[in-house]
Amino acid sequence: MSSTDDRPTQARTGVPIAKHGAPVSEYDNVWLVIPAYNEGQVIAEVVEGARKTFPNIVVVDDGCTDDTAQHVMTTGAHLVRHPVNLGQGAALQTGLKYALEQQGAEYFATFDADGQHQTGDVEKMVALLRQGEADIVLGSRFIEQTGQVPWIKRVVLRTAAAVSPTARKLKLTDAHNGLRVMNREAAGRIRITMNGMAHASEIVSFLAGSDLRVAEVPVDILYTDYSRAKGQSLINGVNILFDISLRERNRR
């Protein structure tokens, strides 16, 4: 599927439908939002694995130049396509908007396409939301040290959290973890305008200035050779800090 303009296009394939009001699963009101850019090597495996627990998934093909979309269409997930690459922030905003429009959607998780995130972590984060303990739950690689985070990434991420006024206000240990689960109120209020990787800091900044209840829980990030190759470098971390500092300066 393609488009001649800059609007996202949609394809819906094989998502289970509840009959006579009966739930498909205990997670039929949870939507996973997966931004993807050239993840054809792993996207089918990631989506199929996640759908064993979460039947409702939307993958945003962010202007991929490989066969990501074709693989997604074999999995039963919903597919939304950007005709050009707009960046992860824009892909997340598109995916959240799409998920919010779906009947019965109450909880929303942002989930990586490269296999780093674990569905078990999403389950415990959803449970926390259902208990009414928070409006949004953020994952952290540093509450419980597992030794899985590469040392250079650990330095960059801990530094980013330490120097960010908004992260300090929320007492976050990991301001750039892509695994987040939120209720409908939080998802409806988030507006991501930074299209690149700096969207994570933008979300934290918004949360720090809002009345939404924020919780942080330990999560297990799986670093494979593939995900390490796709991950952020040190210079990208520096660029994120620069983008956010420039944004804050322009607000004054």
Side-chain angles (χ1 to χ4, degrees):
M1 183 179 297
S2 62
S3 174
T4 57
D5 58 23
D6 60 353
R7 293 172 297 180
T9 57
Q10 302 172 3
R12 297 181 62 181
T13 57
V15 176
I17 299 173
K19 295 181 179 180
H20 308 299
V24 175
S25 79
E26 63 178 307
Y27 296 112
D28 67 323
N29 62 353
V30 180
W31 277 79
L32 265 58
V33 175
I34 304 180
Y37 180 67
N38 291 348
E39 302 283 6
Q41 294 182 51
V42 299
I43 189 64
E45 180 181 358
V46 170
V47 173
E48 288 168 356
R51 289 196 72 235
K52 293 176 182 178
T53 305
F54 299 100
N56 298 317
I57 296 176
V58 56
V59 178
V60 180
D61 173 344
D62 187 30
C64 295
T65 58
D66 69 352
D67 56 356
T68 293
Q70 288 81 355
H71 285 294
V72 172
M73 294 181 73
T74 69
T75 65
H78 291 228
L79 174 67
V80 179
R81 303 183 71 177
H82 287 167
V84 296
N85 179 245
L86 298 176
Q88 192 175 89
L92 285 173
Q93 186 65 50
T94 294
L96 286 171
K97 182 177 184 296
Y98 180 87
L100 281 162
E101 293 171 350
Q102 307 310 305
Q103 184 176 3
E106 294 295 336
Y107 303 102
F108 309 85
T110 61
F111 198 84
D112 280 358
D114 59 9
Q116 290 194 87
H117 294 161
Q118 311 301 308
T119 55
D121 288 326
V122 178
E123 290 181 75
K124 69 181 181 183
M125 295 163 85
V126 169
L128 192 60
L129 291 178
R130 284 176 170 169
Q131 293 167 11
E133 299 294 328
D135 297 303
I136 182 167
V137 182
L138 308 178
S140 172
R141 287 159 280 198
F142 305 117
I143 294 177
E144 295 178 0
Q145 295 289 345
T146 64
Q148 294 294 318
V149 184
W151 72 268
I152 192 166
K153 184 180 287 288
R154 185 183 303 115
V155 170
V156 170
L157 294 173
R158 294 302 293 266
T159 300
V163 303
S164 168
T166 53
R168 292 200 305 271
K169 180 178 179 180
L170 294 172
K171 299 180 180 179
L172 299 181
T173 63
D174 190 356
H176 286 81
N177 195 315
L179 184 56
R180 315 170 188 88
V181 183
M182 61 201 82
N183 62 20
R184 189 171 188 86
E185 179 181 1
R189 289 171 60 180
I190 287 176
R191 294 290 183 273
I192 303 171
T193 62
M194 300 190 80
N195 291 343
M197 295 303 295
H199 71 275
S201 294
E202 182 182 25
I203 291 173
V204 171
S205 179
F206 162 73
L207 293 175
S210 77
D211 60 354
L212 294 170
R213 297 166 299 160
V214 181
E216 189 179 46
V217 299
V219 296
D220 181 24
I221 302 298
L222 180 62
Y223 289 99
T224 63
D225 290 341
Y226 177 83
S227 67
R228 289 172 193 267
K230 294 280 289 189
Q232 292 174 211
S233 65
L234 177 60
I235 190 64
N236 282 339
V238 173
N239 286 339
I240 287 173
L241 295 178
F242 176 78
D243 288 344
I244 294 299
S245 64
L246 183 62
R247 183 184 180 88
E248 293 298 322
R249 186 181 308 165
N250 290 337
R251 285 178 173 177
R252 295 171 187 170

